Amino acid sequence: MASSTEKPAGWSVLLRAENAPALAALLGGVLLHSMNVLLLATVLPSIVGELGGAALMSWPTTAFLASSIVAATCTGLLTARIGARNTFCAGALVFSLGALLCGFAPSMAQIVAGRFVQGFGGGLLTAVAYVLVRTTFPEAAWPRAISLMAAMWSVSILVGPTAGGLFAKLGDWRSAFFCVVVLALGLVALAWRALPPTPRAEKIEAPPSPSARVALICLAIAAMSSAAVATAPILKAVLIAASVAILVLELRLDRQAKVPLLPRDAFATGTQTGLGLWLVLMLAIAFSPLQIYLPVFLQRLHGLDPLAAGYIMACTSFGWTVGALAMAGLTPVAVDRLLLAGPACMAAGLLAVALLTAETVGLALPLAVFLTGVGIGGCWGHVAQRVMGGARKGEESIAASSVATVQQIGFALGAALAGLAANSAGLASGLAREGVVAASFWTPVVFVVAAVLAGVAAVRLNLFVCGQREVATPLV
């Protein structure tokens, strides 16, 4: 009898009237963070048109993602010291401060600084929301609350481009950030009243902070971003090599750490988890360029208004959601095929975007953008499952959290590489049509390589998993 009433009981517990304010606060925090990624992409062409700094167009996204990584690693430390509710409210306040810096920015450099501050606040909001689910709701309601939080990323597909597009269309991109300030401050007021304070007895000893390793990740991302604006070819090469070397050093330090950020076999080529994380990284990198540059290309080459350009760009996120829902619940053999099909779809979609962007904004271009999103969305959950399923004993939780960590690192590196590709193709000199046409082709083409590498990782992962199946079920 218990099993027959488990699902209704979970929803009925979560959706009680007394839980509504707390649930609204947590969902609002995730939505505030997620919608700002798409909002910025929509207003970025207007920002560049007023402030200049076309060569730095990838930096606001890179700074936001790098800072989110830092915040995620600091969440355990902050919640242990000041409590989960206080950390959530602090995240919203920091987020509003970053939005304020962007709203008053006199230059692209301050936009980058404001986005870095926003990223830290947003990273705290999303990470501590999962902690607050545990302390706010009964256990029967946890899966439903987490599902609703994940759904906020789909809601942001509508909210982000709409909000950014309307303000950009009115010629007042600064007010978009000022509205974010108001929303963030309202979230602070709601969270302070609705979320339970952390009882002293529930506070645990703070885990050691991985500040040195996180600093190395951010330094590598900064080096890659600096390569995008470096003019001398030798300096570009040096910065790219330095970025790779720093990431290798961080990985070695992490494997020796008492509390690692990633599984100790992360990016190994002979384990299921290691190969799975390679696939996660390459998929995330391949997904990055359209989110940053496609609205700029469409507005400059075809005269689309910010709202229309934003929604074409949002087809990537919509495709991710559709792919994830459509491909759930497959058999292991079907998953093997899907892990190969996903990167192939991304490669085809990116190549089609490269060929179509300068030529047309008809139905074919949104479909190509959508196909790129379907490619990553369809296989993402299954890749995560294989990363977690191959975890070594005692590292199950670290393997689970590593998917999100590597995803953020991949997005940040992808943003930096997109800046390098776009600037090298001709965007560094401004938004003249000739440079934009070249960048609209070469930026997505370069990331076809990342999709192909994801396919190689998928082949290796499938071979490893098939070998494990044969060992587990020997022929009689």
Side-chain angles (χ1 to χ4, degrees):
M1 294 295 290
S3 61
S4 66
T5 60
E6 182 182 356
K7 289 186 178 180
W11 284 114
S12 64
V13 169
L14 177 64
L15 300 178
R16 288 174 181 167
E18 60 268 26
N19 287 335
L23 184 62
L26 296 182
L27 296 181
V30 176
L31 180 60
L32 187 68
H33 173 79
S34 60
M35 78 173 192
N36 268 267
V37 177
L38 299 176
L39 183 149
L40 176 78
T42 307
V43 301
L44 191 56
S46 301
I47 295 173
V48 174
E50 179 178 331
L51 304 180
L56 298 176
M57 285 182 63
S58 66
W59 282 45
T61 300
T62 302
F64 186 89
L65 292 169
S67 188
S68 295
I69 296 168
V70 176
T73 62
C74 295
T75 299
L77 180 66
L78 288 173
T79 54
R81 289 186 176 175
I82 67 174
R85 183 185 69 173
N86 293 347
T87 302
F88 187 88
C89 292
L93 287 172
V94 171
F95 197 90
S96 68
L97 176 60
L100 204 61
L101 287 172
C102 291
F104 285 113
S107 66
M108 181 61 82
Q110 186 166 317
I111 293 288
V112 174
R115 290 295 286 176
F116 186 85
V117 175
Q118 271 194 300
F120 191 87
L124 287 181
L125 284 173
T126 53
V128 80
Y130 289 89
V131 178
L132 281 161
V133 165
R134 182 182 179 276
T135 59
T136 304
F137 307 116
E139 185 173 355
W142 292 354
R144 283 80 180 178
I146 292 172
S147 296
L148 288 177
M149 284 162 53
M152 290 301 100
W153 289 86
S154 296
V155 174
S156 70
I157 297 172
L158 298 175
V159 177
T162 301
L166 288 175
F167 282 110
K169 196 170 184 178
L170 293 171
D172 189 13
W173 61 266
R174 295 180 186 273
S175 291
F177 290 104
F178 295 144
C179 284
V180 169
V181 172
V182 174
L183 291 173
L185 293 177
L187 181 64
V188 172
L190 174 62
W192 186 259
R193 292 177 60 87
L195 298 175
T198 307
R200 199 166 192 83
E202 290 189 17
K203 292 185 181 180
I204 59 173
E205 182 182 353
S209 174
S211 54
R213 285 167 282 151
V214 173
L216 285 173
I217 293 174
C218 293
L219 184 61
I221 294 168
M224 189 69 73
S225 297
S226 299
V229 295
T231 55
I234 294 178
L235 181 57
K236 284 182 183 286
V238 168
L239 288 169
I240 293 171
S243 178
V244 173
I246 292 167
L247 287 174
V248 171
L249 175 61
E250 188 281 331
L251 192 59
R252 288 186 176 181
L253 291 176
D254 194 60
R255 287 177 176 174
Q256 298 168 3
K258 184 177 180 181
V259 181
L261 293 172
L262 302 173
R264 298 192 191 277
D265 61 340
F267 302 110
T269 57
T271 69
Q272 181 173 320
T273 296
L275 289 167
L277 288 177
W278 272 116
L279 183 49
V280 168
L281 181 68
M282 291 302 157
L283 289 171
I285 289 174
F287 186 72
S288 302
L290 301 186
Q291 302 277 49
I292 303 170
Y293 285 104
L294 188 60
V296 180
F297 298 153
L298 294 175
Q299 290 183 53
R300 292 294 172 178
L301 296 177
H302 301 289
L304 265 64
D305 63 53
L307 188 60
Y311 273 112
I312 291 177
M313 178 271 297
C315 286
T316 55
S317 299
F318 182 58
W320 185 321
T321 302
V322 171
L325 294 175
M327 303 300 175
L330 299 180
T331 65
V333 174
V335 170
D336 292 344
R337 296 170 184 156
L338 181 62
L339 294 187
L340 300 177
C345 284
M346 295 190 76
L350 287 166
L351 187 58
V353 169
L355 295 172
L356 293 169
T357 300
E359 301 298 327
T360 180
V361 288
L363 183 61
L365 180 60
L367 286 176
V369 176
F370 178 78
L371 180 63
T372 306
V374 169
I376 187 172
C379 65
W380 187 263
H382 300 292
V383 177
Q385 184 180 25
R386 292 201 168 174
V387 169
M388 293 184 284
R392 296 177 177 181
K393 187 174 182 180
E395 293 190 350
E396 293 85 354
S397 296
I398 294 173
S401 64
S402 70
V403 175
T405 303
V406 173
Q407 176 191 22
Q408 292 283 59
I409 293 172
F411 285 161
L413 287 174
L417 287 168
L420 179 61
N423 289 344
S424 299
L427 215 61
S429 58
L431 295 178
R433 181 176 178 82
E434 184 178 352
V436 176
V437 168
S440 72
F441 176 78
W442 286 109
T443 303
V445 161
V446 166
F447 284 83
V448 172
V449 177
V452 171
L453 291 175
V456 172
V459 170
R460 294 289 303 274
L461 178 59
N462 281 347
L463 289 173
F464 182 89
V465 171
C466 289
Q468 295 296 104
R469 288 191 198 125
E470 290 176 3
V471 171
T473 56
L475 294 175
V476 179

